[in-house]
């Protein structure tokens, strides 16, 4: 049986394999680093997990992690789902760069996080597109996105497909993904693909402790990460 699966993999892999980026160095350097947090403020973030809303757990975690980021790293914050729109078109474009990339702005990011409330939908792909095209477009150095979400895309787009297309055009952006209290198999597959094809790290966090640990593993310190070959039908 094992031999059969090996032969099957050798046959099927060339058909579905897609060449992806493998970063040579996934560690922060002393100059020119860019770190953009893309954080979910959709309505489901107001749900309770371990006797505390998920959004409050995220705010607590970010308050803990922000002061530990190197002063040489430019940090920014984009959020999505933070506005309530009855028109689907507008709801699926509820994404905003609330703190532009900059040095020593952890206090500003924490302030914005505590001000915001979960309200809308989950336009992940649109948010990643805005992050790449606008927030990071003119930046040099390592460009690193950390996407934190408690659900999959619900705006009729695919973050996985977008990540694949992105890697065809440029190789200077990595996307880490934290799936916080996500249990749907299709959503997890999409989110994992988004990280995998960009050479990023994917982590599932189902508790507050796992949320803290996932972010710490991505930030303190960064480790070399290899992208994997990802299949696409």
């Amino acid at each position: 049986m094992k031999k059969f699966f090996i032969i099957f993999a050798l046959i099927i892999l060339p058909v579905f394999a897609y060449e992806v980026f493998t970063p040579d160095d996934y560690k922060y350097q002393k100059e020119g680093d860019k770190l953009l947090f893309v954080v979910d403020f959709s309505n489901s973030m107001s749900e309770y997990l371990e006797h505390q809303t998920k959004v409050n757990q995220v705010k607590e975690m970010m308050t803990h992690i922000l002061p530990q980021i190197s002063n040489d790293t430019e940090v920014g914050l984009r959020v999505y789902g933070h506005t309530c729109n009855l028109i689907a078109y507008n709801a699926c474009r509820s994404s905003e760069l609330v703190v532009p990339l900059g040095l020593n702005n952890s206090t500003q990011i924490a302030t914005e996080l505590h001000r915001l409330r979960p309200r809308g939908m989950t336009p992940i792909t649109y948010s990643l597109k805005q992050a790449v095209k606008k927030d990071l477009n003119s930046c040099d150095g390592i460009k690193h996105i950390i996407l934190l979400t408690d659900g999959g895309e619900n705006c009729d787009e695919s973050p996985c497909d977008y990540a694949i297309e992105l890697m065809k055009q440029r190789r200077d952006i990595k996307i880490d993904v934290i799936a916080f209290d996500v249990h749907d198999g299709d959503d997890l597959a999409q989110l994992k693909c988004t990280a995998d094809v960009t050479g990023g790290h994917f982590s599932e966090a189902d508790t507050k402790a796992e949320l803290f640990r996932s972010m710490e593993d991505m930030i303190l310190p960064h480790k070399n990460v290899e992208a994997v070959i990802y299949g696409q039908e």
Side-chain angles (χ1 to χ4, degrees), residues 125-144:
T125 308
Y126 178 78
S127 298
L128 292 177
K129 289 177 179 178
Q130 294 298 298
V132 171
K133 293 178 181 179
K134 294 184 177 181
D135 309 342
L136 299 170
N137 185 51
S138 60
C139 299
D140 297 323
I142 296 175
K143 288 172 279 292
H144 178 205

Side-chain angles (χ1 to χ4, degrees), residues 12-13 20 39 61 67 101-102 121 131 141 146 156 165 171 182 205 231-232:
I12 202 70
L13 185 59
V20 296
V39 180
M61 178 274 295
L101 289 166
M121 295 181 68
I146 296 183
D156 199 27
E165 291 302 313
R171 303 293 184 91
V182 180
Q232 182 188 36

Side-chain angles (χ1 to χ4, degrees), residues 34-161:
K34 311 294 185 295
L35 171 59
L36 180 66
F37 292 100
V38 179
V39 180
D40 186 354
F41 270 83
S42 63
N43 185 59
S44 58
M45 288 290 286
S46 62
E47 297 172 353
Y48 278 79
L49 180 67
E50 297 180 305
H51 310 292
Q52 185 181 14
T53 61
K54 288 185 280 187
V55 70
N56 282 344
Q57 293 184 37
V58 169
K59 291 177 179 181
E60 187 177 329
M61 178 274 295
M62 291 294 290
T63 300
H64 164 75
I65 204 73
L66 284 166
Q68 302 182 62
I69 298 174
S70 169
N71 291 332
D72 299 311
T73 300
E74 294 187 41
V75 185
L77 172 66
R78 173 174 284 275
V79 299
Y80 61 85
H82 60 304
T83 60
C84 182
N85 294 281
L86 297 179
I87 300 174
Y89 179 87
N90 294 332
C92 287
R93 281 156 182 76
S94 175
S95 180
E96 181 183 358
L97 180 68
V98 293
V99 180
L101 289 166
L103 297 172
N104 302 314
N105 59 3
S106 294
T107 300
Q108 184 182 359
I109 291 175
T111 299
E112 289 297 317
L113 284 170
H114 284 281
R115 176 183 65 84
L116 296 166
R117 298 292 181 270
R119 293 182 176 179
M121 295 181 68
T122 313
I124 294 174
T125 308
Y126 178 78
S127 298
L128 292 177
K129 289 177 179 178
Q130 294 298 298
V132 171
K133 293 178 181 179
K134 294 184 177 181
D135 309 342
L136 299 170
N137 185 51
S138 60
C139 299
D140 297 323
I142 296 175
K143 288 172 279 292
H144 178 205
I145 294 172
I146 296 183
L147 169 66
L148 194 161
T149 183
D150 80 330
E153 174 75 50
N154 62 8
C155 284
D156 199 27
E157 290 192 274
S158 166
C160 172
D161 289 349

Side-chain angles (χ1 to χ4, degrees), residues 2 15 39 48 90 112 127 142 158 166 168 173 177-178 181 183 194 198 202 206 213-214 216-217 221:
K2 182 177 181 181
V15 177
V39 180
Y48 278 79
N90 294 332
E112 289 297 317
S127 298
I142 296 175
S158 166
L166 177 62
K168 291 180 181 179
I173 293 177
V177 179
I178 298 177
D181 192 38
H183 302 287
T194 303
T198 62
F202 175 75
D206 295 328
R213 184 164 57 250
S214 294
E216 288 175 345
D217 288 345

